[in-house]
Each structure stands twice: as structure tokens, then as C-alpha cells.
Amino acid sequence: MFWKILVATDLTPASDELIECVESFRELGTEEVVLAHVTELVDATGAVEVLPAQPVDVDLVLRRQKDTLERLGLKVVVQTLLGTPALMLEQAARDHGVNVILAGSHGKGLLRSAALGSVSRELLRTTSHPLLLDRLDLGKEGEASCRMIFSRVLFPTDYSETAEKALDFLGKIALETGCSVTLMHVMESQGEDQENERRREEECWYLLEAKKRRLERLGAAEVSIDLVHGRAAEEILSRMSKGAFTSIVMGGKGKGVLTELILGSTANEVARHATLPVLFVPAAVAEAPGS
């Protein structure tokens, strides 16, 4: 399902670690990698220069990273781009027909903000490709967290159409990996009376049970369900910290937890604070050839 992926590299040690995450995609059938590096030059308006903190030999580092990927038995295409990073990465993903974009959500180069970087935030807002963001710790020389990424997955759902598309993706992952999944729904207060709240809760349990059976039929090793009350982002992050999960899979844009026109606050908060890789599946998924 992820036979071709795009890896965004900023040539820092953090991106070296990110490249090692590609091995986790091999069990999903990855055969080809587009290794993309974007340089954004400072202009008269004061645009931020997206370059490593220390000068590097771009060709040398890209060649070394390409060799690392090729040792995994992958075909590698290198792209060096000039322009607005998020725009250029999305265009490269379209041009090459990739199935997913892999990027770091923290770091000192392409995505170097102490909070969620502007590039990853813009990708989240605009991309039509599934986007995997892996947190890279600014305090360490590159430490990606995507080993065995799809072993134990937390899947928050708001029952929106976008969440259903993300569930379809998760079903394919379960089919390929036999992963364990926790299906989670957060009931936010609507100021209703106790009887209406009870009915809504019963309906939520029913929907979670139906999705559980669906994933079990597709081959998930174990599926549990979790219905909680509270604020969506806070509860998702709390559940993440309490469980032995290896990743989060969730919708990228939608009408429920995530808004239709722009990326909603829940997704932003999860992307900003998650200590695990997060795979966002957008409402309109770009179909790659042969996907």
C-alpha cells in the first residue's frame, strides 16, 4: 500500500535517524523512496532560510543517505528543490506518485521550531497525501521514534467521513501487519440532559464495536475500544502517554474533531505534542499509480 514514499531530509543528524524509519515501511511493501531536500533562500521580505545550522556538503550527505536506503534494498530517487518547502514537497509527491510523505515534526533544519514547525504545519493543512510526522527531539542528535511503527496503533475517531477514510487506511495496515489497535472516541460535552447523553454514549459504543469487528476481519491481531469523556486533544494525548503504543493514525481534515476548511485545533495539538509518530490521512487522498 505504501510502495513509494517521499522522505523530506534537511541533511541534519536528525534526518539521518528519520531515514532509518523507512525500514518500518518495508513490511507494507515499500519498494521506492523519493529522497527530497528543499532549500528556501532568504528574500527581501525576510523569509526564513531553510538550511542546516552548519554548512554541509549537500551532495555528500544526500549520497550517504541514499546509500543507507539502498542498503535496505530500495530504489532511491534524489530530488533537490528550491522554493517554498511545503509547496515543493507536495509537488514532488504528486510528480512522483508517492503513497505517503515522511517528515520530522521537530528539528534544527527543515522543521526546526521548538514547537510544531511551519513546514509540517503547512503540509498538514494542504497535503492530499497521507503524512507521517515523527517527532525529532531538539535536545538530542536525532532520535526518531518509529521503530516497529505499526505494531500497536492508537486510532482516534470522530465518526466523520474523513475518519472513515483513515480507518480504511488502518484496515490496509492491519491486513499487511496484523497490528494491535485501540479504537478511541472522545465524547465532548454538548450541554445535553442525562438521557440524551446516555443515548449518545450507547450509539458511540455501538459504532466502536462495529469498527472493531471490521478491523478484526481484516486481520488485526487485537482490537480494543476506548470511550472517554473530555476534550479531544487532551484525552488523545493522555491515552497515548498511558498506553504502550508505537504510533497514532488519524484523519487529517474533516468535519468532526478536525475542521473541513483548515486543520483543526485537535490535529494541531496532537501533532505538536505527540511523542509518537502520527500518520495523518487527509479527507481527499491522492491516489498513486498502482496503489
Side-chain angles (χ1 to χ4, degrees), residues 213-272:
R213 292 191 295 270
R214 177 177 167 189
L215 286 174
E216 288 172 337
R217 287 195 300 269
L218 287 170
E222 180 182 2
V223 183
S224 59
I225 56 178
D226 194 4
L227 179 62
V228 298
H229 294 259
R231 183 171 170 271
E234 291 176 359
E235 295 301 329
I236 292 168
L237 292 168
S238 174
R239 188 67 178 87
M240 175 202 70
S241 65
K242 294 176 182 177
F245 300 108
T246 57
S247 63
I248 300 171
V249 177
M250 61 189 297
K253 282 181 279 189
K255 288 185 176 179
V257 170
L258 310 177
T259 63
E260 183 69 22
L261 298 178
I262 60 174
L263 192 70
S265 61
T266 296
N268 268 322
E269 288 189 51
V270 171
R272 184 185 299 271

Side-chain angles (χ1 to χ4, degrees), residues 1 3-4 93-94 96-100 129-130 285-291:
M1 59 177 296
W3 73 277
K4 183 188 290 190
R94 288 184 175 278
H96 289 275
V98 306
N99 306 102
V100 66
H129 294 83
V285 181
E287 293 293 333
S291 61

Side-chain angles (χ1 to χ4, degrees), residues 44-55:
T45 65
V48 176
E49 186 178 13
V50 181
L51 293 169
Q54 298 296 327

Side-chain angles (χ1 to χ4, degrees), residues 10-277:
D10 62 2
L11 311 180
T12 63
S15 66
D16 287 340
E17 294 296 324
L18 188 65
I19 282 172
E20 293 185 12
C21 293
V22 174
E23 188 168 6
S24 298
F25 282 87
R26 295 186 66 198
E27 64 184 357
L28 298 175
T30 298
E31 300 175 356
E32 185 172 341
V33 174
V34 178
L35 183 61
H37 171 64
V38 182
T39 299
E40 181 178 16
L41 299 179
V42 176
D43 60 23
T45 65
V48 176
E49 186 178 13
V50 181
L51 293 169
Q54 298 296 327
V56 298
D57 185 327
V58 173
D59 291 336
L60 179 64
V61 176
L62 285 174
R63 186 162 59 248
R64 173 171 52 77
Q65 293 182 339
K66 179 175 182 285
D67 289 344
T68 298
L69 293 168
E70 288 179 335
R71 282 195 294 272
L72 296 175
L74 299 166
K75 178 181 177 182
V76 182
V77 175
V78 176
Q79 281 268 272
T80 54
L81 307 164
L82 181 65
T84 304
L87 178 64
M88 299 306 296
L89 291 170
E90 174 68 5
Q91 186 61 53
R94 288 184 175 278
D95 291 345
H96 289 275
V98 306
N99 306 102
V100 66
I101 298 173
L102 173 59
S105 60
H106 297 64
K108 290 186 178 180
L110 178 62
L111 307 169
R112 66 177 183 265
S113 171
L116 182 66
S118 60
V119 176
S120 55
R121 185 169 58 245
E122 185 65 13
L123 275 173
L124 275 167
R125 190 182 71 83
T126 61
T127 187
S128 60
H129 294 83
L131 174 65
L132 178 69
L133 294 181
D134 186 42
R135 176 170 178 153
L136 303 178
D137 195 332
L138 281 168
K140 301 178 182 179
E141 280 213 351
E143 185 174 299
S145 56
C146 56
R147 308 299 182 269
M148 302 295 291
I149 183 174
F150 296 120
S151 299
R152 298 179 300 278
V153 178
L154 175 62
F155 181 81
T157 177
D158 60 1
Y159 308 128
S160 67
E161 182 179 349
T162 300
E164 286 301 297
K165 290 180 180 294
L167 186 66
D168 289 340
F169 259 78
L170 180 56
K172 294 176 183 178
I173 291 172
L175 184 63
E176 295 285 344
T177 67
C179 60
S180 298
V181 178
T182 295
L183 295 168
M184 178 184 185
H185 176 70
V186 181
M187 282 186 60
E188 297 193 348
S189 175
Q190 296 184 357
E192 57 198 344
D193 59 43
Q194 289 186 345
E195 180 60 23
N196 284 333
E197 184 175 348
R198 183 188 63 78
R199 291 175 180 173
R200 186 159 62 97
E201 187 168 315
E202 288 179 353
E203 182 180 5
C204 288
W205 278 115
Y206 174 81
L207 291 171
L208 285 173
E209 289 283 0
K211 296 177 193 311
K212 175 183 177 181
R213 292 191 295 270
R214 177 177 167 189
L215 286 174
E216 288 172 337
R217 287 195 300 269
L218 287 170
E222 180 182 2
V223 183
S224 59
I225 56 178
D226 194 4
L227 179 62
V228 298
H229 294 259
R231 183 171 170 271
E234 291 176 359
E235 295 301 329
I236 292 168
L237 292 168
S238 174
R239 188 67 178 87
M240 175 202 70
S241 65
K242 294 176 182 177
F245 300 108
T246 57
S247 63
I248 300 171
V249 177
M250 61 189 297
K253 282 181 279 189
K255 288 185 176 179
V257 170
L258 310 177
T259 63
E260 183 69 22
L261 298 178
I262 60 174
L263 192 70
S265 61
T266 296
N268 268 322
E269 288 189 51
V270 171
R272 184 185 299 271
H273 298 294
T275 56
L276 296 176

